[in-house]
Amino acid sequence: MTQLQALTPEFNWNTYLHGIGLQDLNSLNVATPVFFLGMNTLIQEQDMDAWKSYLRWNVVHAAAPFLSTAFVDANFDFYGKTLLGQKENQARWKRCTTLTDRAMGEAVGQDWVAQHFPPSSKQSMQRMVTALETAMKKDIAGLPWMTPATKQQADEKLDQIRNKIGYPEKWRDYSKLVVEPNQLVANVERANAFELQHQLHKINKPVDEKEWGMTPPTVNAYYNPSMNDINFPAGILQPPFFDPTKDAAINYGAIGVVIGHEMTHGFDDEGSQYDGKGNLRMWWSPEDRKAFDQRTACEVKEYNGFETAPGTHLNGKLTLGENTADNGGLRLAYQALMETLKAEGSQAMDQKVDGYTPAQQFFISYGQIWCSKQTDASMRVSAKVDPHSIGKWRINGVVRNSEDFGKAFGCTKGQPMMPADACRVW
Ligand SMILES: [Zn+2]
C-alpha cells in the first residue's frame, strides 16, 4: 500500500478504498505500474475543473443506454453508427434481456437451463470433452519439437484441467439485490455495486473453484489460466454449435473445435506460462520454449498478412493466443472425430450425407459456426481491439494450416488453401 501511494502521490488511495467499502488492506498487486504513473501525471497536468467535467461526463456516458430516448439515440449515434457502421440500434427487448442477464444472470439463467439444457446434453458434452482430452494427450506425445521432460509437464497440466459444463453446481444468491420497477438507472447502479461487493468479498477467502465467469445463457466459452479450467455455458450448447440430433462430424466440427480451442488456450502464448495449479510458473525447458516461440512467430507473421476491411490488416501479435487456440482446436477436434468414427467401424468413416464425407462435413460445420456479417467500420475496430480474428480468418486462416482440410477437399500442396508454408504450434 505504501508503495502504491508513493507511486501516485496525487491520488488518495485510503479515501478511495474506504469509499468503495474496503477496509484494512495490507497489500495488493499492482500489475501495471506504468498505468498508475501515467494517471498521476494526468492528475498533475489537468486542472480540477477539467477532471470534474471528465468524471461527470463518464457518469452520464455510462448511464446513457438506460436513460430516455434522446440519450439512448445520441449514444447509439456515435458508438453504434459512427464507430461500427450499424444502421439501427438492437431491438429494445434484446437490450433488456442482455441487461438482465448481466445484472442477475444466475437467477434468470435457472429457468433457461431447465427449459433448454437437458441432462442428456451434459452427458454428450462430457463424452466429447473426454475425446478431446485423449486427442490432446496423443498430440502432445507426438510433437516433434518438444523434449520428453517438457512433454511430461504439459501432460500433467492437461490432466489437471477442470471441466465445467452448462451451469454452476451452486447458484448465486441475489436476495440482497434490490430491484424496483420504474427505476432502471438505479437498478443498474445497484447491480453494479452488488457485483463489486461480490468481487471484493473474495479478498482473503479461499478461491471458489466452482464459480463461473459467464452466465448460463451466454453463447461463449472460456479458459481461465489461473484456475486452469474450461467452461462451457449452456448457451453455447445449442445449434449451430451443438445439436444432439446431428451426426458426430457436425458436432465435432462445431462445439468439438470450441472444446479444443479452450483446451489449447492452456498452452497458448499466455496460458502456457501458468502451471496445472493455475500458478504463474515456467515449466518449460529453455530450448522447448524457444521452439514454441519460433512456431508462434510463424502464426504472428501469417495473420499479419490477412486483410480485414480494405487497407486494414489483422494484428498477428494481438490475436496470437486466439489463433493458436483456433488452429489447435481444429486439429484436436478432427483427431477426436476420426478416433470416434474408427471405434464405430469402417462404415462410419465413409458414411456420406448429402454427398459429403464425414471429413468434409466436419470442415463445413466449422465454417458455419464463424460465418458472419460485419460492416467495414466494425471490422476496422475489431482489427484494432479484438484479440479474436474476424470470422473470415477464423475459418480460412485456420483451415489453410490444416493438411486434413486440404486432403478432404482434394487440394494439392502449394494451392492457396494448402500453402507450403503452413504454420503449426500444437
Ligand atoms: Zn479463445
Side-chain angles (χ1 to χ4, degrees):
M1 277 308 297
T2 332
Q3 277 172 287
L4 174 63
Q5 195 51 66
L7 192 66
T8 51
E10 296 288 333
F11 192 83
N12 189 328
W13 285 101
N14 237 347
T15 310
Y16 172 77
L17 294 172
H18 277 108
I20 61 169
L22 210 54
Q23 321 274 342
D24 309 323
L25 203 60
N26 297 322
S27 67
L28 46 78
N29 181 11
V30 181
T32 48
V34 180
F35 171 85
F36 292 98
L37 274 177
M39 183 181 99
N40 196 63
T41 310
L42 282 173
I43 298 175
Q44 271 173 342
E45 282 174 356
Q46 303 295 326
D47 60 50
M48 194 45 85
D49 281 343
W51 273 108
K52 283 180 181 168
S53 303
Y54 172 73
L55 293 172
R56 264 191 216 111
W57 178 82
N58 263 293
V59 171
V60 178
H61 170 55
F66 321 116
L67 293 170
S68 56
T69 311
F71 285 93
V72 173
D73 289 350
N75 188 58
F76 173 74
D77 207 49
F78 179 71
Y79 290 98
K81 255 185 207 162
T82 306
L83 220 48
L84 301 175
Q86 277 176 277
K87 286 197 176 64
E88 56 184 73
N89 205 346
Q90 211 177 24
R92 194 158 181 264
W93 70 266
K94 286 190 183 174
R95 284 180 268 140
C96 289
T97 45
T98 305
L99 183 61
T100 317
D101 176 58
R102 211 185 306 148
M104 45 179 124
E106 286 191 21
V108 291
Q110 294 180 35
D111 266 355
W112 195 84
V113 162
Q115 285 176 42
H116 300 285
F117 193 64
S120 57
S121 288
K122 194 165 181 162
Q123 283 152 15
S124 17
M125 257 307 272
Q126 194 58 61
R127 275 198 297 276
M128 288 180 79
V129 171
T130 307
L132 263 294
E133 281 167 354
T134 310
M136 187 150 206
K137 241 181 194 324
K138 230 173 155 179
D139 177 81
I140 291 170
L143 285 180
W145 52 271
M146 195 184 261
T147 58
T150 306
K151 277 183 183 177
Q152 201 195 327
Q153 295 278 327
D155 214 43
E156 275 173 29
K157 176 165 184 181
L158 175 63
D159 285 339
Q160 285 173 292
I161 294 182
R162 256 193 318 270
N163 311 315
K164 278 147 70 181
I165 298 168
Y167 52 91
E169 284 174 34
K170 191 171 169 281
W171 297 101
R172 238 174 105 174
D173 175 14
Y174 292 91
S175 56
K176 290 207 172 73
L177 174 62
V178 177
V179 182
E180 295 287 353
N182 306 318
Q183 289 189 4
L184 181 58
V185 177
N187 284 338
V188 171
E189 276 178 1
R190 280 191 290 260
N192 289 343
F194 180 79
E195 176 60 24
L196 176 66
Q197 290 312 315
H198 172 71
Q199 298 297 339
L200 296 180
H201 269 113
K202 292 179 184 174
I203 297 173
N204 291 332
K205 306 240 168 60
V207 174
D208 178 5
E209 290 170 349
K210 292 180 174 163
E211 191 183 41
W212 281 68
M214 282 179 185
T215 66
T218 307
V219 186
N220 206 341
Y222 69 96
Y223 169 78
N224 182 347
S226 61
M227 299 279 257
N228 194 28
D229 63 3
I230 49 177
N231 303 261
F232 307 97
I236 200 169
L237 307 175
Q238 313 287 324
F241 285 94
F242 173 68
D243 186 346
T245 67
K246 290 272 162 40
D247 287 334
I250 303 293
N251 282 317
Y252 274 96
I255 196 69
V257 182
V258 176
I259 300 169
H261 172 107
E262 301 310 338
M263 278 167 49
T264 310
H265 267 318
F267 303 89
D268 69 14
D269 56 325
E270 288 176 19
S272 60
Q273 298 176 48
Y274 294 77
D275 65 15
K277 291 196 174 73
N279 293 323
L280 200 58
R281 177 174 72 84
M282 190 45 72
W283 46 268
W284 297 67
S285 72
E287 70 266 31
D288 286 321
R289 193 65 193 180
K290 212 173 135 198
F292 174 79
D293 290 342
Q294 277 167 0
R295 275 157 179 83
T296 54
C298 175
E299 280 184 351
V300 172
K301 193 168 159 244
E302 182 181 38
Y303 281 78
N304 275 338
F306 295 152
E307 194 175 45
T308 57
T312 306
H313 284 76
L314 284 177
N315 177 343
K317 227 173 171 156
L318 171 68
T319 54
L320 175 60
E322 294 299 335
N323 297 333
T324 303
D326 279 345
N327 281 277
L330 185 88
R331 168 180 293 273
L332 298 177
Y334 187 83
Q335 295 306 334
L337 170 66
M338 289 303 134
E339 291 300 324
T340 304
L341 294 178
K342 236 187 263 168
E344 285 174 23
S346 61
Q347 232 187 330
M349 296 284 277
D350 305 323
Q351 186 79 50
K352 285 190 181 180
V353 175
D354 292 337
Y356 294 110
T357 64
Q360 290 170 334
Q361 290 171 52
F362 171 89
F363 290 108
I364 291 170
S365 176
Y366 177 64
Q368 281 172 343
I369 60 167
W370 297 125
C371 174
S372 50
K373 204 174 171 192
Q374 241 180 310
T375 62
D376 280 359
S378 143
M379 283 195 283
R380 282 204 183 88
V381 173
S382 295
K384 295 277 177 254
V385 302
D386 193 342
H388 302 87
S389 298
I390 58 162
K392 175 181 174 179
W393 295 116
R394 291 196 80 168
I395 305 166
N396 288 0
V398 172
V399 296
R400 75 200 287 276
N401 286 332
S402 161
E403 287 220 355
D404 298 315
F405 171 81
K407 275 186 219 152
F409 288 96
C411 307
T412 45
K413 211 150 198 143
Q415 284 186 314
M417 293 310 287
M418 203 183 183
D421 58 350
C423 300
R424 177 182 169 192
V425 182
W426 292 100

